[in-house]
Structures are given as C-alpha cells and as structure tokens.
Amino acid sequence: MRILHIDGNHPLLKNQLEEAGHLNEDDFTSTKEEVEAKIHNYDGIVIRSRFKIDRQFLDKATNLKFIARVGAGLESIDCDYATAKGVHLIAAPEGNRNAVAEHALGMLLSLFNNLNKANAEVKSGKWSRESNRGHELDGKTVGIIGYGNMGKAFAKKLRGFEVEVLCYDIKENVGDENARQVSLQELQQHADVLSLHIPWTPETDRMINTPFIESFAKAFWLINTARGKSVVTDDLVSALTLGKILGAGLDVLEYEKLSFEHLFTDGEMPSAFQYLIEADNVILSPHIAGWTFESHAKLAQVIVDKILEIKK
C-alpha cells in the first residue's frame, strides 16, 4: 500500500511498515486543500490532529483503505461517512492508556496533598504547614465515567489505595475486579472523586455542567484527562468558588484548538480560564496525559499492528 503520513510519529511506525513492503511518504507542511488534491493517490493516511478528515476530504480519497490516528480518539474524523465509504478506521487507545492513568493518579495525589501549592510556597520562602494539610485517598470513593481503555487503566492504578471504585458507562457489563459498574445516579450519590475517561461525542459535549455537578450528593474533586469540551468551564469555576468542587486536575480544556498549540494567541483570555490559572486548588497541564516517551513508541506500535492486520 501507498501510505501518506501528515504528522511526525515514532520512527518505528514507518520502519516496520516499510519492512512489510509498504511505500511511505511524508507531508508535514501542505494545507488540507493541498493534501486533498493528491489523496486519491494513497491507500492509507496516518494522522494525529493536524486537520479534520471531513466529507469533502473523504470524497476525494477515492482509493483510501484506512485512516490511522496515532492517538486514542477519532473525533477529528467523520467516522460515519468514512465507514459508509468502506474506509477502515484505526485508533490506538491501548498505546497511551497507562500514561493517562498514571497522569490522572498523579494529579489526584497532588491535589489531595497540595503539592503544587506547597512547592511554590516553599520555593518563594513561605513555610506554611497548616494551610497545606492534605487529605488521604484511603476510604474515599472514586467515580469513573467512561470505563474503556483509559478508565480501566486508571482503576487498576487505584488498587492498593483502599478506595472504593465505581464506574459508569453507556455500555453494559464493563465492570471488572477493579471497579463496580453502577448507574450514574449511584455514582453521583457516593463519589468523593470524579475522573473522566470519555470520548468527545454529542452525548458528552458540555456534559459536566451546573445541573450535573449539583446532582452529586457530596462536594468532590474533578480529574479530566479526556476531552476539554466535555466540561463547561464557566460552570466548573462556579462550582469551585462555591466549594461544590473541591479541586480540579485538568489536562484538557474546552478552549483547545484542534492542533492544541495556539491556546494563548487568539485574543482575550476567558475570565474562567484566568480563574483556573490563579486558583491554588487547580492543576493544569497541556494535554500531555498520554504524551510520555514510552507511549510515543507504544502508540506507533499499536498503529503498525492494526494496519498490518487489515490485509489478513
């Protein structure tokens, strides 16, 4: 097959495809329109997040057999239209699920123990023990929404912390030895911590809003390593100021652009975002939960394996 790569990835991806006899070509600079003009020449395309694969693109990709996204989700692709055209869709959530789980756990432990705040204070010459008194995970109830690759990996990391783990998912019978599947209402009744591991879909868009937050029986901590647009930031900030949300670890933000890097360059900063930046009980990271040196190779390997499986 002739395969077009429009984003850089771990070299093992191309090396192994070439060893299997496939022709690989790079184009990291052309516009979407320029790629569209030549995509009919390719059997496959490997992407990350450079631009959307929409109907117009797919109509011009007359020989395309697969689209492989080196990442967990496929929201940048018109999946229904691609599937209707017989295009095989490939993602690699198996490749970075461990990285995401570790990042979520790190955020949670840091929030519980005020590590970011305490670190900043000590480095600035302030030694305040009482204001940095922490909480223990032991005995808490952790609720996970979305119990696929990422949610299951996070629940596995929580083993040994003596917590109860509840999971909610639109699919039935996904609970396992690490988490008990419950209704959303039961999760909201008991959770001290909420961790999101959901894809961005019409159902999850702006899902975490004021009515959703107020449905929790207790004040809780929020961890989001999934998709930023699932959380209404204005409503999150309101809940933080009221104490309904005790703290938040956010690896993703609703303000992200598709290519992520230009968060601060498009005009005035939203006031809710400014609040998050200044809040002591909020930890922010730039969509790197699944972005480890190890996952870089794992993601590429999963993609290679799935591409090679197409021919079997």
Side-chain angles (χ1 to χ4, degrees):
M1 292 187 289
R2 189 179 182 189
I3 302 169
L4 178 65
H5 299 253
I6 65 169
D7 292 289
N9 288 295
H10 195 284
L12 74 80
L13 198 160
K14 285 175 59 180
N15 290 343
Q16 291 189 23
L17 288 174
E18 288 170 359
E19 289 171 5
H22 301 297
L23 177 64
N24 295 272
E25 298 179 15
D26 293 338
D27 188 342
F28 302 156
T29 59
S30 291
T31 64
K32 177 174 178 286
E33 291 72 23
E34 289 169 336
V35 175
E36 283 177 352
K38 64 179 182 179
I39 192 61
H40 62 278
N41 295 317
Y42 296 92
D43 302 289
I45 184 170
V46 179
I47 67 171
R48 285 209 321 263
S49 300
R50 211 169 108 208
F51 53 69
K52 287 183 178 292
I53 305 295
D54 54 19
R55 287 188 172 225
Q56 177 177 305
F57 187 97
L58 290 164
D59 282 340
K60 296 188 176 183
T62 52
N63 293 305
L64 206 61
K65 295 181 177 63
F66 74 84
I67 302 169
R69 179 168 185 269
V70 187
L74 294 168
E75 63 266 25
S76 61
I77 303 168
D78 188 329
C79 295
D80 291 339
Y81 197 60
T83 301
K85 283 183 162 290
V87 179
H88 193 81
L89 300 178
I90 298 171
E94 305 92 337
N96 61 358
R97 60 190 174 191
N98 183 72
V100 169
E102 290 189 5
H103 194 96
L105 181 57
M107 282 188 147
L108 182 56
L109 292 172
S110 184
L111 284 172
F112 265 49
N113 293 283
N114 299 308
L115 295 183
N116 281 31
K117 174 176 174 287
N119 173 68
E121 288 180 357
V122 173
K123 287 186 174 181
S124 66
K126 183 179 179 181
W127 189 269
S128 178
R129 297 182 68 212
E130 184 57 37
S131 67
N132 287 303
R133 188 185 292 271
H135 298 268
E136 296 178 20
L137 262 178
D138 192 297
K140 302 295 192 297
T141 298
V142 179
I144 297 174
I145 296 183
Y147 206 60
N149 279 284
M150 308 301 173
K152 287 179 182 292
F154 181 53
K156 185 177 179 182
K157 296 298 177 190
L158 290 168
R159 293 174 65 173
F161 280 95
E162 303 298 332
V163 295
E164 180 180 16
V165 183
L166 306 177
C167 66
Y168 169 74
D169 196 283
I170 58 173
K171 295 181 179 179
E172 297 181 355
N173 302 315
V174 297
D176 56 19
E177 68 275 12
N178 299 320
R180 178 168 63 90
Q181 187 168 7
V182 297
S183 67
L184 179 58
Q185 291 71 30
E186 184 173 350
L187 185 149
Q188 291 173 319
Q189 186 66 30
H190 297 288
D192 299 292
V193 174
L194 173 63
S195 189
L196 303 178
H197 299 279
I198 47 180
W200 183 42
T201 68
E203 291 72 29
T204 64
D205 184 56
R206 299 175 67 82
M207 175 182 176
I208 313 303
N209 54 24
T210 295
F212 182 94
I213 293 167
E214 291 179 345
S215 296
F216 280 73
K218 298 184 279 187
F220 63 95
W221 285 266
L222 174 68
I223 304 294
N224 187 12
T225 55
R227 289 294 182 261
K229 294 186 186 300
S230 293
V231 177
V232 180
T233 311
D234 286 340
D235 294 358
L236 166 61
V237 167
S238 178
L240 285 164
T241 59
L242 294 171
K244 183 65 179 183
I245 292 182
L246 301 170
L250 308 173
D251 181 55
V252 290
L253 295 164
E254 71 168 300
Y255 311 114
E256 290 177 40
K257 308 300 185 292
L258 187 65
S259 61
F260 307 138
E261 287 83 3
H262 306 292
L263 188 62
F264 296 95
T265 60
D266 292 341
E268 188 175 345
M269 184 180 295
S271 59
F273 189 26
Q274 187 65 47
Y275 178 93
L276 297 179
I277 290 172
E278 296 173 358
D280 287 333
N281 60 340
V282 175
I283 299 174
L284 304 173
S285 57
H287 204 129
I288 55 168
W291 200 253
T292 63
F293 289 100
E294 292 82 1
S295 71
H296 188 42
K298 291 178 185 177
L299 285 165
Q301 189 62 62
V302 171
I303 292 297
V304 169
D305 293 344
K306 290 185 177 182
I307 291 174
L308 297 182
E309 190 67 27
I310 294 174
K311 295 184 70 178
K312 295 181 181 179

